[in-house]
Amino acid sequence: MKVVILAGGFGTRISEESVTIPKPLVEIGNMPILWHIMKIYAHHGLTDFVICCGYKGNLIKDYFLNFSHRNADFTIDLGSRDIEVHRRGGEDWKVTLVDTGLDTMTGGRLRRVRDYVGDETFCLTYGDGVSDIDVKDTIAFHRAQGTLATVTAVQQPGRFGALDLSPDRTRVNGFREKSMSDGHLINGGFLVLEPQVFDFIEGDDTVFEQEPLHALTARGQLAVYHHKGYWQNMDTLRDKHVLQGLWESGKAPWRIWDRPSPKIAAIG
């Protein structure tokens, strides 16, 4: 099963970083957040990726072209240009990198990789969100629902402290950290889709989260998988600092690949 990752946006809300590199290459723990996302899927046995490039997509291509050497020890003879590899690194992944245009919307980017996906069920996510989600469970849920699409609903992380008010709401009784239940359910990515969803995308200007998902909803073809665990996107520099802090603490919840590997037979 293939995993499509949308990695072509401008990342304007994190322009402090994206002015020089695309947001999916912004690093958490010295590795791009894109790598973290791929590690989550690979932990569940999904290692065939299709990456939709756009803004500064050449840097994403260069990253994977040099991926093996980035993670290996080697000696290079600058005269003959012979390379002797001493320790091989990297991942056992297949990565297809597709230029889906600079200004193409999310639906248009997905439509442009149709030939690389083929006629099979596939996963779709964004290049800026991490989670401890059980990917194999989302796939099993999707198949049980029999719909053309399944979206993962997550609680929007609270950003600010909350006020405890008096019964008449005229006085502050105290302060508390904003809980997950204070937020709204949002689309957290980690979708599972059937190839028929391509028929709902008209062209490059189509925003996948708008017309296609609304049309699928109207036909009763959009199921929702509720993930109650950890989820966090990297939309702003503040988000990056939160993720970096968790990584440095050794308690990054999305670092599931260090846990015992799950059974993956159900994925097929």
Side-chain angles (χ1 to χ4, degrees):
M1 182 179 292
K2 291 182 172 61
V3 179
V4 177
I5 302 178
L6 297 171
F10 288 97
T12 53
R13 291 191 182 92
I14 193 170
S15 58
E16 299 91 342
E17 298 275 354
S18 62
V19 67
T20 55
I21 59 173
K23 183 161 69 166
L25 290 187
V26 173
E27 294 185 348
I28 303 296
N30 297 319
M31 295 297 284
I33 192 168
L34 179 59
W35 174 87
H36 291 260
I37 296 166
M38 296 167 78
K39 289 286 284 186
I40 293 169
Y41 278 101
H43 177 69
H44 292 283
L46 279 71
T47 58
D48 192 348
F49 299 97
V50 179
I51 299 179
C52 303
C53 301
Y55 173 70
K56 295 188 181 296
N58 61 307
L59 297 182
I60 297 178
K61 291 180 178 180
D62 289 344
Y63 175 79
F64 285 102
L65 281 172
N66 296 297
F67 191 85
S68 295
H69 287 162
R70 286 173 182 268
N71 295 277
D73 297 334
F74 59 88
T75 299
I76 180 170
D77 186 321
L78 297 180
S80 64
R81 297 192 178 183
D82 291 334
I83 299 176
E84 179 185 0
V85 178
H86 306 294
R87 180 189 61 82
R88 294 190 180 276
E91 306 285 353
D92 187 21
W93 300 341
K94 179 180 178 181
V95 185
T96 301
L97 298 133
V98 185
D99 181 2
T100 56
L102 184 62
D103 298 309
T104 311
M105 297 292 101
T106 51
R109 294 192 190 282
L110 179 58
R111 186 171 181 264
R112 287 200 184 195
V113 300
R114 181 173 191 169
D115 291 343
Y116 300 99
V117 172
D119 296 321
E120 62 177 21
T121 306
F122 66 99
C123 294
L124 171 71
T125 197
Y126 304 98
D128 63 355
V130 291
S131 175
D132 60 358
I133 189 169
D134 187 337
V135 173
K136 71 179 189 304
D137 196 47
T138 67
I139 295 170
F141 174 85
H142 169 77
R143 287 174 169 165
Q145 298 304 306
T147 55
L148 295 182
T150 294
V151 62
T152 293
V154 298
Q155 206 78 41
Q156 186 175 22
R159 290 180 178 271
F160 306 102
L163 300 176
D164 280 326
L165 302 181
S166 62
D168 63 0
R169 303 181 69 81
T170 64
R171 297 289 186 275
V172 175
N173 288 337
F175 298 87
R176 59 183 170 85
E177 291 297 319
K178 189 172 178 67
S179 69
M180 294 294 287
S181 60
D182 289 329
H184 300 288
L185 287 175
I186 61 173
N187 169 15
F190 297 96
L191 297 95
V192 186
L193 306 173
E194 298 299 325
Q196 291 92 326
V197 300
F198 288 113
D199 298 333
F200 292 82
I201 304 172
E202 292 187 3
D204 284 355
D205 294 334
T206 302
V207 178
F208 185 68
E209 299 77 11
Q210 296 298 323
E211 293 88 351
L213 289 190
H214 291 172
L216 288 164
T217 300
R219 291 165 173 78
Q221 289 295 322
L222 181 61
V224 57
Y225 176 87
H226 291 269
H227 175 60
K228 297 181 180 180
Y230 180 83
W231 176 89
Q232 176 68 57
N233 69 333
M234 191 185 67
D235 197 37
T236 66
L237 191 60
R238 175 193 180 279
D239 297 330
K240 179 198 171 181
H241 291 158
V242 169
L243 293 170
Q244 182 66 33
L246 284 170
W247 185 266
E248 291 176 354
S249 73
K251 299 178 181 179
W254 70 91
R255 194 171 181 169
I256 58 176
W257 53 88
D258 284 340
R259 304 172 190 173
S261 297
K263 294 180 180 179
I264 61 174
I267 294 179

